[in-house]
Amino acid sequence: MKNTRYIRNVLFKIFFVFILAVLLFFVGLVIGYGIIGDGHPLEVLNPAIWYHIFDFLK
């Protein structure tokens, strides 16, 4: 029983850190595109912007 509780706690912590990292990634995108890049902050979530970025990298 103790092992399953430990494994569950570790998996919860890993999941929490992953979700936090994804959230901070998107916050960084909004700050970088909106404030530093002088664009509309929520425009970075537009798929057309990502197609343009991927075309630029190809």
Side-chain angles (χ1 to χ4, degrees), residues 19-33:
I19 295 298
L20 187 63
V22 169
L23 180 68
L24 290 176
F25 176 74
F26 281 110
V27 168
L29 283 175
V30 168
I31 289 172
Y33 190 80

Side-chain angles (χ1 to χ4, degrees), residues 2 11 13 23-24 26 29 38-41 47-48 51 56:
K2 217 173 197 184
L11 288 177
K13 288 176 185 177
L23 180 68
L24 290 176
F26 281 110
L29 283 175
D38 293 331
H40 189 269
Y51 290 134
F56 180 73

Side-chain angles (χ1 to χ4, degrees), residues 26-54:
F26 281 110
V27 168
L29 283 175
V30 168
I31 289 172
Y33 190 80
I35 296 173
I36 297 172
D38 293 331
H40 189 269
L42 295 180
E43 194 174 312
V44 74
L45 302 176
N46 187 359
I49 298 294
W50 287 98
Y51 290 134
H52 178 72
I53 291 171
F54 289 138

Side-chain angles (χ1 to χ4, degrees), residues 8-24:
R8 190 173 1 134
N9 285 341
V10 169
L11 288 177
F12 177 74
K13 288 176 185 177
I14 291 172
F15 179 73
F16 180 74
V17 168
F18 177 74
I19 295 298
L20 187 63
V22 169
L23 180 68
L24 290 176

